[in-house]
Amino acid sequence: MAFNKFREPVLSQYNDEKTDEGGSGTAVQETRPKLKKPPLYKVILLNDDFTPMDFVVEVLMRFFVMNEEQATRIMMHVHTRGVGVCGLFSRDVAETKVQQVNEYARRHQHPLLCTMEEA
Ligand code: TYC
């Protein structure tokens, strides 16, 4: 606890001190903001035997703002390893991406599947 020239307690700018004696004999419980960082979610693409490679590359470019080189690298990773991460997003954004990819694949009659999990 810091004091000013009147020997009054100066509160921390960040309000992160747990307890102190304010000089009055009264214990002060300063509130610590109980804010947790919201979790991030991995959006994951799954391999299958039928979706054309070109279509997967197009999906990655369209919904994940990748250039053709990045999209091809992720597509080949999924093709050879079975799964791959397209990106990290807040829960809302991840849910929207998953929905957009799955709908787009279905509309084009491909079995391509996208899912998400907490990072
Ligand atoms: N395995 C597919 C093929 O050989 C290509 C593919 C890659 C499909 C990635 C899905 O998420 C995927 N045509």
Side-chain angles (χ1 to χ4, degrees):
M1 170 70 76
F3 294 89
N4 65 17
K5 65 179 172 179
F6 306 112
R7 312 189 74 220
E8 294 164 342
V10 176
L11 296 179
S12 153
Q13 180 187 358
Y14 299 106
N15 192 28
D16 60 358
E17 296 171 1
K18 276 208 187 87
T19 58
D20 202 356
E21 279 259 7
S24 62
T26 306
V28 177
Q29 175 79 51
E30 292 176 11
T31 51
R32 185 199 285 273
K34 293 187 186 73
L35 298 177
K36 282 210 211 112
K37 289 199 194 127
L40 289 175
Y41 289 79
K42 295 187 274 193
V43 170
I44 293 167
L45 207 57
L46 306 178
N47 189 34
D48 66 74
D49 292 339
F50 304 103
T51 305
M53 291 183 173
D54 283 355
F55 183 82
V56 178
V57 171
E58 192 218 315
V59 161
L60 289 168
M61 291 169 65
R62 179 181 290 262
F63 297 110
F64 298 95
V65 207
M66 295 181 194
N67 62 35
E68 192 167 351
E69 191 185 325
Q70 298 167 316
T72 302
R73 194 166 46 78
I74 303 289
M75 183 281 295
M76 282 310 294
H77 176 95
V78 176
H79 175 68
T80 54
R81 308 282 294 269
V83 290
V85 176
C86 309
L88 285 180
F89 305 94
S90 68
R91 189 218 275 265
D92 274 15
V93 173
E95 279 170 353
T96 301
K97 302 266 179 209
V98 167
Q99 215 173 35
Q100 286 174 328
V101 170
N102 289 336
E103 258 175 45
Y104 190 73
R106 232 48 78 232
R107 185 143 61 83
H108 291 83
Q109 313 200 320
H110 296 307
L112 180 65
L113 264 182
C114 189
T115 183
M116 61 192 268
E117 67 178 45
E118 199 174 322

